[in-house]
């Protein structure tokens, strides 16, 4: 069988943190299978002569925190020369991100498998998508009306406010009705009615961790990463100073995964991360989910290899 030709659209490879980078884990797993790796940056996708073209560098990767990659010369090819493209650009989910999904959709129409499906990347906002599964969620309000948001805070007393386009715990506020800064927080977040915000009832079990459940083709990995907040912090995100502790998935977490999994599979979302606090689903990450390497390291797994096995079955 001819080796699969796989491209990975990602942020600059030289800027990643190798020991915890899920994109590197995916490249290592693909390379182990003997697949041909093509490193692509976002500006390397373009349309010419009504075809999607790709500028890439051939890349070799190493499980080495000091020397994790070597690249060849920049080359241009038609997207039909690639079998698979992994879309691993980090948010912000801005118009350039959306334009990239349109370009990748052209490659998809030309026979390339895109992981995750471009249309689903556009459809599944990581905050709003969770509300498609109300049986899994705590009380939520989504609005850009500051009066409605204030009423929600008054009703539930202890509330998390988050922008719909944030990542890594950025711009998340925990508020209560007596917060002296509540008015200015609301004004700033909704930008006087121009930006939509999600309000969630505070879940005190955050002290036990913001759990990440990784999903491969709609099935949950049986271990989660509990991202435990730093002292005097309400955000468990690793980027916000949280620490990660891997543990076996609970019955409730498996139930949540079972609720969401069939929809992910139907939408062509081969790799996703469900965020769960206590008994509640809070977000569904589909753009560039992380935490592969932390769970792998603590339970001697190879989650990326499971993803590559899934891709191989689809392509072959």
């Amino acid at each position: 069988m001819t080796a699969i030709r796989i491209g990975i659209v990602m942020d600059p490879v030289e800027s990643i943190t190798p020991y915890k980078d899920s994109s590197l884990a995916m490249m290592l797993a693909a390379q182990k299978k003997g697949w041909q790796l093509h490193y692509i940056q976002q500006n390397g996708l373009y349309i010419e002569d009504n075809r999607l073209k790709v500028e890439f560098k051939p890349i070799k990767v190493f499980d080495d925190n000091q020397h994790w990659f070597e690249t060849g010369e920049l080359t241009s090819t038609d997207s039909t020369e690639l079998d698979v493209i992994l879309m691993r650009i980090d948010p912000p989910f801005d118009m350039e991100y959306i334009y990239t999904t349109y370009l990748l959709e052209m490659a998809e129409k030309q026979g390339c498998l895109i992981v995750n499906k471009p249309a689903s990347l556009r459809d599944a906002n990581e905050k709003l998508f969770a509300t498609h599964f109300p049986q899994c969620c705590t009380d939520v309000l989504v609005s850009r009306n500051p009066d409605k948001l204030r009423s929600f805070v008054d009703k539930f007393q202890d509330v998390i406010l988050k922008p719909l386009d944030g990542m890594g715990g950025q711009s998340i506020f925990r508020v209560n009705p007596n917060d002296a800064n509540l008015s200015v927080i609301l004004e700033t977040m909704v930008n006087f009615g121009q930006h939509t915000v999600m309000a969630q009832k505070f879940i005190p079990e955050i002290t036990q961790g913001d759990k990440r459940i990784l999903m491969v083709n709609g099935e949950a990995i049986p271990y989660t990463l509990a991202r435990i907040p730093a002292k005097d912090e309400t955000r468990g995100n690793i980027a916000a100073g949280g620490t990660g502790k891997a543990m076996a998935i609970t019955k409730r977490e498996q139930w949540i995964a079972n609720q969401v999994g069939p929809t992910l599979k139907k939408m062509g979302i081969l790799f996703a991360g469900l965020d769960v606090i206590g008994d509640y689903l809070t977000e569904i990450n589909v753009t560039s989910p992380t935490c592969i390497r932390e769970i792998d390291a603590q339970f001697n797994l190879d989650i990326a290899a499971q993803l590559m096995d899934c891709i191989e079955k689809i392509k072959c």
Side-chain angles (χ1 to χ4, degrees):
M1 182 181 67
T2 303
I4 287 177
R5 301 159 298 181
I6 185 167
I8 181 163
V9 184
M10 61 182 290
D11 297 305
V13 66
E14 65 272 14
S15 67
I16 68 173
T17 305
Y19 71 89
K20 65 176 184 177
D21 192 86
S22 292
S23 297
L24 177 61
M26 293 177 187
M27 288 190 284
L28 287 165
Q31 182 174 269
K32 190 173 181 180
K33 282 181 168 290
W35 296 359
Q36 299 172 14
L37 297 180
H38 304 72
Y39 163 56
I40 306 164
Q41 293 198 270
Q42 204 168 359
N43 62 6
L45 300 171
Y46 64 101
I47 295 174
E48 187 175 69
D49 299 326
N50 297 315
R51 306 287 294 178
L52 181 70
K53 303 296 180 67
V54 178
E55 283 188 336
F56 72 91
K57 292 181 179 180
I59 187 170
K60 292 182 180 179
V61 288
F62 310 94
D63 195 4
D64 184 332
N65 291 330
Q66 304 303 316
H67 177 70
W68 60 92
F69 73 98
E70 293 176 359
T71 57
E73 295 297 319
L74 188 66
T75 305
S76 183
T77 189
D78 193 286
S79 66
T80 56
E81 294 300 311
L82 297 179
D83 301 301
V84 181
I85 296 177
L86 305 178
M87 174 55 169
R88 292 289 301 174
I89 295 291
D90 284 339
F93 192 89
D94 54 14
M95 285 307 300
E96 286 300 322
Y97 196 107
I98 291 175
Y99 298 150
T100 298
T101 68
Y102 290 143
L103 294 173
L104 290 173
E105 209 161 34
M106 179 173 282
E108 184 179 48
K109 290 175 181 177
Q110 294 170 359
C112 189
L113 174 65
I114 313 298
V115 181
N116 288 315
K117 187 176 179 65
S120 295
L121 288 176
R122 296 194 298 271
D123 290 346
N125 174 273
E126 302 190 330
K127 310 296 191 296
L128 286 175
F129 191 28
T131 66
H132 290 216
F133 307 93
Q135 71 275 25
C136 302
C137 298
T138 187
D139 295 278
V140 173
L141 172 71
V142 178
S143 176
R144 60 180 186 177
N145 184 323
D147 294 332
K148 290 186 181 297
L149 291 163
R150 183 182 289 275
S151 294
F152 187 88
V153 175
D154 288 340
K155 180 178 180 180
F156 292 104
Q157 296 292 302
D158 199 351
V159 168
I160 295 293
L161 300 174
K162 58 176 74 172
L164 295 182
D165 60 352
M167 65 165 289
Q170 295 173 357
S171 301
I172 290 178
F173 292 88
R174 180 182 177 185
V175 298
N176 64 71
N178 301 317
D179 193 323
N181 292 312
L182 180 57
S183 292
V184 70
I185 289 171
L186 291 174
E187 289 171 3
T188 300
M189 292 195 72
V190 303
N191 192 23
F192 301 97
Q194 300 303 306
H195 295 159
T196 304
V197 170
M198 172 175 279
Q200 289 176 326
K201 180 182 177 182
F202 177 71
I203 305 169
E205 288 83 0
I206 183 61
T207 56
Q208 300 167 30
D210 181 351
K211 301 279 195 72
R212 167 61 56 86
I213 304 171
L214 294 179
M215 306 285 290
V216 175
N217 200 24
E219 300 291 333
I221 299 299
Y223 300 94
T224 67
L225 188 74
R227 295 160 297 171
I228 301 169
K231 184 179 179 182
D232 300 324
E233 177 61 80
T234 58
R235 300 170 299 172
N237 310 75
I238 303 297
T243 56
K245 181 179 179 182
M247 55 188 66
I249 195 169
T250 67
K251 289 184 178 180
R252 171 68 179 184
E253 290 159 1
Q254 183 65 61
W255 177 83
I256 291 173
N258 292 344
Q259 298 296 301
V260 179
T263 300
L264 295 176
K265 193 169 184 177
K266 183 178 179 181
M267 293 177 67
I269 299 173
L270 294 186
F271 187 64
L274 312 185
D275 289 350
V276 174
I277 301 174
D279 288 336
Y280 302 105
L281 175 69
T282 60
E283 295 184 15
I284 302 175
N285 292 269
V286 302
T287 51
S288 56
T290 60
C291 299
I292 284 179
R293 305 214 79 188
E294 292 91 339
I295 298 173
D296 279 354
Q298 295 183 47
F299 280 98
N300 195 30
L301 303 178
D302 193 343
I303 296 167
Q306 295 182 52
L307 176 61
M308 296 306 131
D309 288 344
C310 175
I311 290 170
E312 188 171 38
K313 288 178 182 178
I314 293 171
K315 290 304 295 182
C316 301

